[in-house]
Amino acid sequence: MTTSSNPVLEVSHFNVDYGVGAAAVRAVDNVTFTLERAHVLGVAGESGSGKSTLAYGLTRLLRAPGIITGGDVHLHLGTDADARRMDLLAASEAELRAIRWKHISVVMQSALNALNPVRKIGKEFDEVLKTHNRSMSKSARKDRARELLGLVNLTPDRLERYPHELSGGQRQRVMIAMALALQPELVIMDEPTTALDVVTQREIVAELQKLRQELGFALIFITHDLSLLVELADEIMVMYAGRIVERAPALELYRGPRHPYTLGLMGSFPPLHGERKVMTGIPGSPPNLKDLPGGCAFHPRCPYAMERCTLEDPMLSPIEDGQRTVACWLHDPSVSAAVPVELRRKDAALAGEAG
């Protein structure tokens, strides 16, 4: 992968366990990546792949029994002469409260649960703005709240509504607006469109594209739907059983996945453009993290599994001149078996679908 020249987030060998001692289950295993400013990193995978645990671990929002057991996470605050590199894992609770919303914000999967059901929307905005800017007057806070709602195509009258008076899409737009209230460098969104209909999903993705171009924030967008990421992300990181199994530029991954699991994910959703195709899905179920199979964790579900896959766990390694990485023995130079055409193609027709 290319080296980041202007990073906002650096993650190295990050691990998260649930439980302690012999009963501990590793939910995020040795995850390493760098995110550049104003870029979008998509994180994809089935339920239980470690996507949400990764997000909450990075932001120190994990709840018991989740425990960060290793690694480094650094957030780059600011870009001017006062810029500094903050160690998120060593930061105190007071330091974390100071940077949340202002430098890094999170949009939860369920907006209805994230919003206080007995508070009007305007009160939620007012509290965020007042907490981080004591000098801001009440009228200025209200004006800013109206401005933020306008960014996500909601009218100012929504400030006088309670969460239950808004649709699911409107509540999610409110959460996105709140996440952008203090113009953070990084926004993390955990499956923000999962509970919404397809039309609303596409509208929110289009709004996020526009907002990113206007405001320049970096974004980590977590979803199980690869088709959404193709239009939004610069790069996509695919997780399985807590590990990264493939990372590549979004369009390159869409044109030709290199890991069998990524190929299966792509076959689980209809294409956004072009002809309809039969959805194939992935046989079997995600593994039990308490009892992972030997070798590659995906091999019991993989149509291309070899004997080596059952014995040795492949490392995440660069391929194709380092522009992408994959953890699969099929791409190892020492393996004599031919790589299946589905995992080595660069189909121009697929590129046309993504456009």
Side-chain angles (χ1 to χ4, degrees):
M1 305 299 295
T2 56
T3 301
S4 173
S5 59
N6 189 17
V8 66
L9 184 69
E10 295 177 295
V11 180
S12 179
H13 306 294
F14 186 65
N15 297 316
V16 176
D17 291 356
Y18 284 106
V20 295
V25 173
R26 179 138 296 179
V28 174
D29 190 357
N30 198 36
V31 168
T32 297
F33 68 91
T34 299
L35 176 62
E36 291 188 32
R37 291 185 179 278
H39 278 224
V40 177
L41 174 64
V43 182
E46 297 168 291
S47 296
S49 62
K51 309 183 304 298
S52 295
T53 299
L54 173 64
Y56 296 129
L58 295 177
T59 53
R60 298 271 305 275
L61 292 171
L62 273 176
R63 293 182 178 179
I67 303 171
I68 297 170
T69 54
D72 296 289
V73 181
H74 289 93
L75 179 68
H76 292 253
L77 307 175
T79 56
D80 54 20
D82 297 324
R84 61 190 178 98
R85 186 170 177 260
M86 181 178 184
D87 185 342
L88 290 182
L89 301 190
S92 67
E93 285 299 321
E95 290 172 322
L96 290 171
R97 284 195 298 271
I99 67 164
R100 286 172 183 155
W101 296 102
K102 186 175 182 180
H103 295 282
I104 182 171
S105 58
V106 180
V107 177
M108 307 292 185
Q109 181 173 344
S110 175
L112 184 58
N113 294 335
L115 294 167
N116 190 325
V118 297
R119 266 185 169 178
K120 290 183 179 180
I121 299 302
K123 183 63 177 176
E124 297 276 15
F125 278 97
D126 188 74
E127 181 174 314
V128 170
L129 295 169
K130 183 178 181 180
T131 299
H132 291 273
N133 190 351
R134 294 286 182 180
S135 63
M136 198 175 193
S137 67
K138 186 173 182 178
S139 61
R141 294 196 299 269
K142 192 167 185 177
D143 289 343
R144 177 59 175 159
R146 291 191 184 112
E147 179 186 355
L148 289 164
L149 286 187
L151 287 176
V152 293
N153 290 325
L154 289 178
T155 54
D157 64 288
R158 297 299 188 273
L159 292 173
E160 301 302 320
R161 305 284 181 87
Y162 290 96
H164 71 272
E165 296 180 293
L166 305 180
S167 68
Q170 290 172 339
R171 291 195 295 266
Q172 203 58 273
R173 286 183 172 90
V174 167
M175 289 304 302
I176 293 170
M178 288 181 64
L180 300 176
L182 301 173
Q183 298 182 318
E185 287 101 328
L186 173 61
V187 179
I188 299 177
M189 298 189 176
D190 181 24
E191 304 222 34
T193 63
T194 298
L196 307 178
D197 63 81
V198 175
V199 173
T200 305
Q201 286 183 17
R202 295 296 301 277
E203 289 175 350
I204 288 179
V205 168
E207 286 171 5
L208 285 173
Q209 287 175 313
K210 175 177 69 71
L211 290 169
R212 179 176 70 112
Q213 293 171 357
E214 291 177 0
L215 305 178
F217 56 87
L219 173 64
I220 297 178
F221 192 97
I222 297 169
T223 182
H224 61 279
D225 188 347
L226 271 174
S227 62
L228 283 177
L229 294 181
V230 173
E231 295 198 353
L232 179 63
D234 297 297
E235 286 188 300
I236 296 175
M237 189 166 77
V238 180
M239 294 186 68
Y240 187 78
R243 298 184 178 184
I244 302 173
V245 295
E246 182 169 7
R247 185 179 179 189
L251 188 54
E252 290 298 312
L253 185 139
Y254 185 71
R255 287 173 174 171
R258 296 296 180 254
H259 197 283
Y261 178 61
T262 309
L263 181 66
L265 285 179
M266 289 181 59
S268 301
F269 296 92
L272 295 177
H273 307 280
E275 298 180 4
R276 291 184 179 180
K277 296 184 179 181
V278 177
M279 291 183 288
T280 54
I282 305 172
S285 302
N288 182 348
L289 296 179
K290 291 183 179 179
D291 187 25
L292 289 174
C296 173
F298 186 62
H299 88 258
R301 308 172 70 190
C302 180
Y304 310 110
M306 305 173 288
E307 182 179 3
R308 187 176 187 181
C309 302
T310 67
L311 303 173
E312 300 178 59
D313 189 15
M315 299 289 291
L316 188 67
S317 304
I319 60 173
E320 300 175 13
D321 297 325
Q323 293 304 303
R324 54 199 304 176
T325 54
V326 65
C328 181
W329 288 123
L330 288 168
H331 300 281
D332 190 279
S334 66
V335 174
S336 58
V339 179
V341 64
E342 295 89 348
L343 299 176
R344 56 183 168 87
R345 68 184 179 187
K346 287 191 175 181
D347 192 333
L350 286 178
E353 287 181 9

